[in-house]
Amino acid sequence: MRMETTFRAGLEGVVAAQTRLSSVDGDRGELLIGGFPVGELAPRARFEEVVHLLWHGDLPAEAELRELRRQLAGLRRVPPATLDLLRAAAAGRLPAMEALRMAVGSLSLATSGDAQGDAALLVAQVPVLVAAYARLLQGQEPVEPDPGLSHAASYLYLLTGRVPSPEAVRALETYLNTAADHGLNASTFSARVIVSTESDLVSAVTGAIGALKGPLHGGAPGPALDMVFEIGSRERAEPELRARLERGERLMGFGHRIYKVRDPRAEVLARTVAPLYGANGQGEVYELALHVERLAVRLLEEYKPGRGLQTNVEFYTALVLHGLDLSPALFTPTFAVARVAGWTAHCLEQLRSNRIFRPQSVYTGATDRRWVPLEER
Ligand code: ACO
C-alpha cells in the first residue's frame, strides 16, 4: 500500500469516518440530524427522541419513548464515590468541566459492561453530575432526582430544586437538540478514536469531555454574552464594536470555520429565545442582544468584506441559556449534556464496523545523531 505523505494541519479536509448521524453543509448553511433538517427536528422533538434517533436510526414509537425515559430516569443515582469526588473538586473550586471529566471517569464504578448500557448511563448521568456540581460549588447539597421528570426537566430541577415550566423545558430541549451532534468535530473524533481501540464508552466520553473543555471548541458562549453586557446600551453598541474591530479583536459569537452563511442552529435558537425573554422580565437584554447582532454582522462585512462572517450558534446559545437562568460557568457543561448523545451514538456506530484509527505522521526531526555519554553533554 502506498503511504500518504501529504500533511494537512488539523486534518482539514480529510475524511476520517462515514456516519449516518449528522451532516454539515457549511456553504448551504444546512445541518441534518438523523436525516432531519435541524430546524424541523430541534423545536419539536423531546431530547429523548433525538437520543433514540441517534442511537437507533429512527424516531421512537410511543412505547419505545416511554421505555427510554424509564431507563434514563432509572440511571440518575450518582455512585457515592463519584459524589465524594465532586465534593473534593468543589472544595478545590475546580472549573465545572474539570469536575465533570473527573466524575464521568469514575462512572466505571456503575457500568453494565455493555456498550449500549454504558451509552444510557452516560447520557443519564452527565446532567445529574453537572447539576450536583453546580450546587456543591454554591455550598448547596445536590437535589434528589425525581424519576417522574423528563430528561430536560430533570436537569433544570436538579439545578434549582424547582419543577421547571413547560416553556423552559421546551427551550432547553430545543437547545439540547441543536447541539446533540455536529459531524466529526474534535470531541466526537476523540471519542471515536478511543473506542476504535475497543476501549469502553466511559473512557471515550471522558476523553471527549477533555476535548470539549478547550476554548477552541466549547468555550465561546460565555464571552459572547459578556460582550453584550459590556456594551450595556444601544448607544454604546456601535462605537464599542468599532473600537473592538479597530483593535483587531474578534467579535465573540460571529464567524465559523465551516458555515459561511448563517449557522442553521443560530436560526433555530433565535426563534426559541424570544418567548423566553417575553416571560422572564429581561426583555431589555434581548432587545440589546438583537441590536448588537444586527450591527455586528453589518460591521463585520464593512471591516472584513467577503469573509461571510455571520452569527454563529454560540451567540444564541448564550441567550437561551442565560434566559433559562443558567450562569455562564454552566454553558460549556450544558453543551456536554447535549453532545453526550452524539458522542455515545458515534461510539456505537464506530463499534458496529470498527477499524482502529492509525494515521501516519511525517517525521521532521534529526536523522544523524550519535549517542553522547551523560558526562560529556
Ligand atoms: N470577529 C472579527 N473578525 C473575525 C471574526 C470575528 N468573530 N472571525 C473571523 N474574523 C476575521 C479574521 O480576523 C480573518 O481576517 P483576515 O482575513 O483579515 O486575517 C478572517 O475573518 C477569517 O478568519 P479565520 O480565522 O480564517 O476564520 P476561521 O474560519 O479560522 O475562524 C472562528 C472561525 C475561530 C470561529 C472565528 O470566526 C472566531 O474566532 N470567531 C469568534 C469566536 C467564536 O464565536 N467562536 C465560536 C465558533 S462556533 C463553534 O465553535 C461551535
Side-chain angles (χ1 to χ4, degrees):
M1 194 178 67
R2 200 180 64 82
M3 287 281 192
E4 173 66 70
T5 52
T6 315
F7 165 57
R8 302 228 180 85
L11 297 183
E12 200 164 341
V14 174
V15 176
Q18 287 185 313
T19 182
R20 301 172 73 90
L21 301 174
S22 62
S23 155
V24 184
D25 183 334
D27 296 326
R28 288 163 56 191
E30 206 177 76
L31 166 63
L32 301 178
I33 298 181
F36 293 91
V38 67
E40 169 89 11
L41 182 74
R44 295 183 174 89
R46 299 286 152 205
F47 183 64
E48 293 91 333
E49 291 179 285
V50 172
V51 170
H52 190 283
L53 173 66
L54 289 170
W55 284 352
H56 303 295
D58 237 325
L59 290 174
E62 211 177 322
E64 290 170 319
L65 179 60
R66 219 177 309 119
E67 173 52 26
L68 179 57
R69 281 199 159 173
R70 194 197 57 74
Q71 185 188 19
L72 294 177
L75 290 167
R76 286 185 191 141
R77 200 150 294 283
V78 178
T82 302
L83 202 52
D84 287 345
L85 208 52
L86 287 179
R87 288 188 198 284
R93 313 298 301 168
L94 290 192
M97 285 299 283
E98 285 179 32
L100 180 64
R101 192 202 61 234
M102 288 162 60
V104 166
S106 76
L107 290 179
S108 297
L109 292 162
T111 58
S112 56
D114 77 289
Q116 185 64 64
D118 284 357
L121 176 72
L122 288 156
V123 167
Q125 282 279 316
V126 169
V128 183
L129 299 174
V130 172
Y133 190 63
R135 291 184 68 88
L136 288 170
L137 267 186
Q138 291 165 6
Q140 297 170 317
E141 274 304 294
V143 173
E144 259 315 282
D146 176 345
L149 293 176
S150 73
H151 191 73
S154 164
Y155 179 44
L156 294 175
Y157 175 71
L158 294 176
L159 280 168
T160 63
R162 292 184 303 277
V163 175
S165 69
E167 293 75 25
V169 176
R170 182 61 265 165
L172 177 64
E173 290 197 296
T174 302
Y175 164 67
L176 296 177
N177 294 343
T178 61
D181 197 46
H182 198 244
L184 203 60
N185 56 84
S187 57
T188 300
F189 184 47
S190 309
R192 282 189 88 124
V193 170
I194 292 172
V195 92
S196 82
T197 68
E198 294 188 3
S199 179
D200 62 297
L201 267 72
V202 171
S203 302
V205 169
T206 305
I209 293 170
L212 181 67
K213 157 179 167 315
L216 296 189
H217 190 1
L225 187 68
D226 290 344
M227 189 180 78
V228 173
F229 282 125
E230 278 162 24
I231 288 172
S233 70
R234 283 177 79 93
E235 302 69 55
R236 287 184 37 150
E238 183 155 353
E240 181 63 30
L241 290 174
R242 282 191 187 278
R244 283 170 191 246
L245 288 167
E246 266 153 37
R247 286 196 299 268
E249 287 176 20
R250 296 197 169 207
L251 304 183
M252 303 313 282
F254 299 89
H256 196 276
R257 173 60 59 82
I258 294 180
Y259 294 117
K260 298 304 171 198
V261 295
R262 200 166 192 236
D263 185 330
R265 300 168 297 175
E267 203 69 53
V268 176
L269 294 181
R271 289 195 291 274
T272 306
V273 160
L276 264 187
Y277 283 81
N280 73 1
Q282 291 198 50
E284 278 171 30
V285 176
Y286 174 60
E287 290 301 326
L288 176 62
L290 287 196
H291 181 67
V292 168
E293 183 199 7
R294 278 191 296 265
L295 207 54
V297 171
R298 179 160 66 74
L299 294 180
L300 283 168
E301 186 50 34
E302 182 184 323
Y303 282 79
K304 302 279 173 187
R307 309 302 203 291
L309 298 172
Q310 298 287 332
T311 318
N312 65 42
V313 67
E314 306 293 18
F315 188 82
Y316 277 100
T317 294
L319 281 182
V320 171
L321 298 184
H322 177 71
L324 287 168
D325 275 337
L326 266 64
S327 73
L330 283 174
F331 290 178
T332 309
T334 304
F335 189 171
V337 170
R339 190 53 64 83
V340 68
W343 292 331
T344 51
H346 275 271
C347 289
L348 296 172
E349 188 178 58
Q350 179 69 32
L351 289 173
R352 276 196 287 271
S353 61
N354 188 38
R355 186 160 168 82
I356 186 172
F357 282 93
R358 182 49 172 101
Q360 303 292 326
S361 49
V362 179
Y363 180 67
T364 59
T367 53
D368 54 358
R369 298 176 106 171
R370 292 290 171 267
W371 180 253
V372 181
L374 188 57
E375 56 281 10
E376 290 172 28
R377 281 177 228 159

